[in-house]
Amino acid sequence: ADGNRFVVRDRGSYLGTIVNNAGIGLHNEVQEADLDDGENVVIAGGRSSQFQFRVLVHRVADGRDMG
């Protein structure tokens, strides 16, 4: 969590990371991506990687983040 947002950062991995179909990391100009409210898909490595995760972000009524 970074303030009022949740962020995925790729710290220079060789294959990069995909967050909600957007590439981040070594071979991309962007090194991080915000997670959206609701369901997010994070893939460590290329699109065919076995390391695929669904991350649910839910904000409670008072504005606090519950990841």
Side-chain angles (χ1 to χ4, degrees):
D2 182 12
N4 289 328
R5 61 190 189 124
F6 286 93
V7 177
V8 174
R9 288 190 182 103
D10 185 299
R11 300 180 60 128
S13 67
Y14 182 75
L15 296 175
T17 303
I18 300 168
V19 179
N20 297 327
N21 287 317
I24 63 173
L26 185 62
H27 302 290
N28 299 282
E29 293 181 21
V30 180
Q31 303 303 314
E32 68 179 39
D34 290 335
L35 293 177
D36 299 328
D37 286 343
E39 187 174 278
N40 298 267
V41 177
V42 178
I43 304 172
R47 294 192 186 281
S48 61
S49 172
Q50 64 180 336
F51 302 105
Q52 300 188 18
F53 307 91
R54 296 197 184 281
V55 180
L56 181 63
V57 175
H58 175 71
R59 297 184 194 283
V60 295
D62 68 359
R64 292 179 296 139
D65 289 323
M66 304 295 286

